[in-house]
Amino acid sequence: EVAGVESYEQLWRDSGRARIAGVDVRVASLDDLIAMKRATNRVKDQLMVLEYVDLADEIRRQEESDQG
């Protein structure tokens, strides 16, 4: 069970791939990361949520700009 997301399967399905130090790894989507941080409700996580939401908004604006 993963707090903030429906299931581990959803987390896996929404994840992406990244190469870190020469190793391919799965990385949670930004939206899922935001949901998990919100679910923990710890002060340090809540502060990060604000930054992650701003980042997600900026990425969406950029994607919209690239499409139009």
Side-chain angles (χ1 to χ4, degrees):
E1 186 175 312
V2 182
V5 295
E6 182 179 312
S7 65
Y8 180 79
E9 289 76 21
Q10 174 203 333
L11 187 63
W12 179 265
R13 184 179 59 245
D14 295 344
S15 68
R17 292 182 182 198
R19 182 171 284 271
I20 300 174
V23 178
D24 289 328
V25 296
R26 300 296 292 197
V27 179
S29 72
L30 191 51
D31 289 336
D32 285 340
L33 182 59
I34 291 167
M36 290 184 291
K37 293 290 188 181
R38 281 185 172 147
T40 63
N41 205 29
R42 297 181 303 188
V43 172
K44 66 180 183 177
D45 290 326
Q46 295 307 314
L47 295 172
M48 292 305 300
V49 164
L50 300 174
E51 292 185 37
Y52 293 156
V53 168
D54 286 344
L55 178 59
D57 290 344
E58 180 61 31
I59 290 169
R60 286 186 184 98
R61 281 192 295 274
Q62 184 63 46
E63 288 173 346
E64 290 171 1
S65 174
D66 289 348
Q67 292 176 0

